[in-house]
Amino acid sequence: MSFQIMGTGKAHPQFSLTNDQLSTIVDTNDEWITSRSGIKTRFIATTETGLELTATASNQALANAGIAAADLDLIICATLQGDNVTPSLACMVQQEIGAHCPAFDLNAACTGFIYALDVAAAYLDSGRADKVLVVACEMMSKHLDWNHRSTCVLFGDGAGAVVLQKGDGLLARVLTAQSDTEQALLIPGFNNINPFSQLPHRPNVLSMSGRKVFKFAVGAMVKDVKKVLAQAGLTPAQVKMVIPHQANIRIIQSAAKLLGFTEEQTAIGIQHYGNTSSASIPLLLDDLWRQGKIQRGDIIVLSAFGGGFTTGACIIKL
Ligand SMILES: CC(C)(COP(=O)(O)OP(=O)(O)OC[C@H]1O[C@@H](n2cnc3c(N)ncnc32)[C@H](O)[C@@H]1OP(=O)(O)O)[C@@H](O)C(=O)NCCC(=O)NCCS
């Protein structure tokens, strides 16, 4: 059973920030950013809210699927944090698009979209839903220290969505979680303003041990994708496209090479979007779908890793 993807959608802010523009804010340059990460530009919110991007991506996916928001049975929004802690982004977008179904946010960091697909599959399999909207939205620009060159150059804002219905398109999946005890990838909760607290104040901006995350990411992607290929009884040659989480072009290329995927099979959009966390896979999925690079009947592999640490991969027949 599980699901079939009925339609896809995406949204990003208007403003595209170049590496050269970044070099006027922090001590960096286009050559360093391009060679270390593959990123040339990223979209950064100026006037847009997370809700606006989420609603635009969701409405596009609904139009592409040919169904009305009122027909949805569930909305799952993958996000590190919506515009508010409460109401959730999922509840806000439910009203914005005119849906009436249950709605909740899910945080599995950059793996959030794959975790959300898995939850959606469970609802569809159990018969508790017929049509599910899974939308991922990340406003990474609000989590960054814009004085910190080793992190602020890497991320961007965006949203991507899919509408799912019952079907037999989910061929295999794997999810993992392991505690990042050394806090190699961290965004602390809130500035501590409780007057009784004796805990230290921690600014709530992203910090990362890039090399540790890099090493973890390549190993995790290779392991997860090998597992789902084995579960589905498929070889890399039978896969039309692998759509990896877009964190660093060198992570993607190393993992793809170790797995035996060709350049043509490996989807890359990091040059335009930067790392948009859980939104990176559905953003690219929508681009590839609308460009006709993937079509109904094709087999695709999704693979992600992120804070937690979380990882996940799945194989979908479109
Ligand atoms: C972050 C990352 C691009 C850094 O690349 P790296 O090759 O490991 O580079 P390092 O962190 O070792 O830094 C090398 C040097 O560049 C400098 N540097 C860091 N950011 C810079 C920037 N934006 N511009 C210029 N120089 C920079 C560092 O200060 C360091 O200088 P030093 O050698 O004099 O100390 C890379 O490690 C990475 O992508 N890791 C994975 C991150 C990831 O996937 N995060 C998301 C998880 S979902």
Side-chain angles (χ1 to χ4, degrees):
M1 287 281 275
S2 289
F3 61 70
Q4 186 188 32
I5 296 179
M6 297 177 73
T8 67
K10 75 158 187 194
H12 56 69
Q14 284 277 317
F15 173 51
S16 173
L17 174 66
T18 65
N19 292 344
D20 285 340
Q21 285 170 309
L22 264 171
S23 72
T24 66
I25 304 175
V26 285
D27 181 15
T28 190
N29 55 73
D30 177 55
E31 198 281 324
W32 191 96
I33 302 172
T34 306
S35 63
R36 302 287 177 124
S37 72
I39 300 166
K40 297 297 274 183
T41 58
R42 72 287 289 143
F43 293 97
I44 298 293
T46 52
T47 59
E48 299 87 352
T49 63
L51 174 60
E52 283 165 15
L53 299 189
T54 308
T56 302
S58 301
N59 280 326
Q60 274 183 18
L62 287 165
N64 190 229
I67 70 157
D71 296 330
L72 290 171
D73 302 305
L74 180 68
I75 298 172
I76 308 173
C77 183
T79 188
L80 284 166
Q81 188 187 60
D83 295 337
N84 305 301
V85 172
T86 189
S88 68
L89 197 46
C91 282
M92 287 166 67
V93 83
Q94 182 239 39
Q95 192 204 11
E96 189 70 21
I97 64 177
H100 311 290
C101 55
F104 61 87
D105 287 359
L106 177 157
N107 177 359
C110 302
T111 320
F113 182 68
I114 295 180
Y115 264 70
L117 288 181
D118 191 54
V119 177
Y123 268 82
L124 292 164
D125 277 346
S126 69
R128 292 193 58 200
D130 283 327
K131 307 235 172 354
V132 181
L133 169 68
V134 173
V135 55
C137 175
E138 302 289 7
M139 305 299 271
M140 295 308 293
S141 56
K142 72 178 177 185
H143 298 297
L144 300 172
D145 180 344
W146 285 91
N147 296 308
H148 197 189
R149 66 177 183 174
S150 61
T151 49
C152 76
V153 303
L154 299 174
F155 295 89
D157 300 332
V162 291
V163 173
L164 308 174
Q165 67 178 355
K166 277 186 189 174
D168 51 10
L170 182 61
L171 305 184
R173 92 267 260 183
V174 61
L175 297 179
T176 80
Q178 70 185 68
S179 183
D180 172 17
T181 46
E182 291 174 19
Q183 303 193 325
L185 190 44
L186 177 72
I187 307 176
F190 291 92
N191 297 329
N192 192 356
I193 53 168
N194 167 4
F196 305 103
S197 173
Q198 306 202 5
L199 297 173
H201 168 80
R202 293 195 299 177
N204 57 324
V205 291
L206 185 148
S207 63
M208 181 171 70
S209 167
R211 287 193 183 175
K212 274 189 196 151
V213 177
F214 193 110
K215 206 170 152 200
F216 168 77
V218 175
M221 282 177 120
V222 170
K223 200 166 156 194
D224 285 355
V225 173
K226 278 188 177 166
K227 253 189 208 159
V228 286
L229 284 169
Q231 261 181 46
L234 293 167
T235 63
Q238 291 169 289
V239 171
K240 179 69 189 236
M241 208 101 207
V242 56
I243 309 179
H245 170 46
Q246 307 283 306
N248 185 314
I249 199 165
R250 293 183 294 139
I251 294 177
I252 297 170
Q253 287 169 342
S254 307
K257 197 170 167 198
L258 288 165
L259 285 161
F261 289 108
T262 64
E263 264 181 45
E264 294 67 40
Q265 284 174 295
T266 309
I268 291 177
I270 192 169
Q271 66 278 26
H272 306 304
Y273 295 121
N275 181 347
T276 56
S277 187
S278 68
S280 80
I281 289 177
L283 266 168
L284 258 190
L285 180 65
D286 181 70
D287 283 346
L288 296 166
W289 182 257
R290 285 174 198 268
Q291 290 160 8
K293 291 187 179 160
I294 49 173
Q295 293 169 348
R296 206 44 82 218
D298 285 345
I299 289 171
I300 60 169
V301 174
L302 313 183
S303 172
F305 60 90
F309 290 123
T310 55
T311 77
C314 63
I315 302 188
I316 298 171
K317 185 166 185 192
L318 292 170

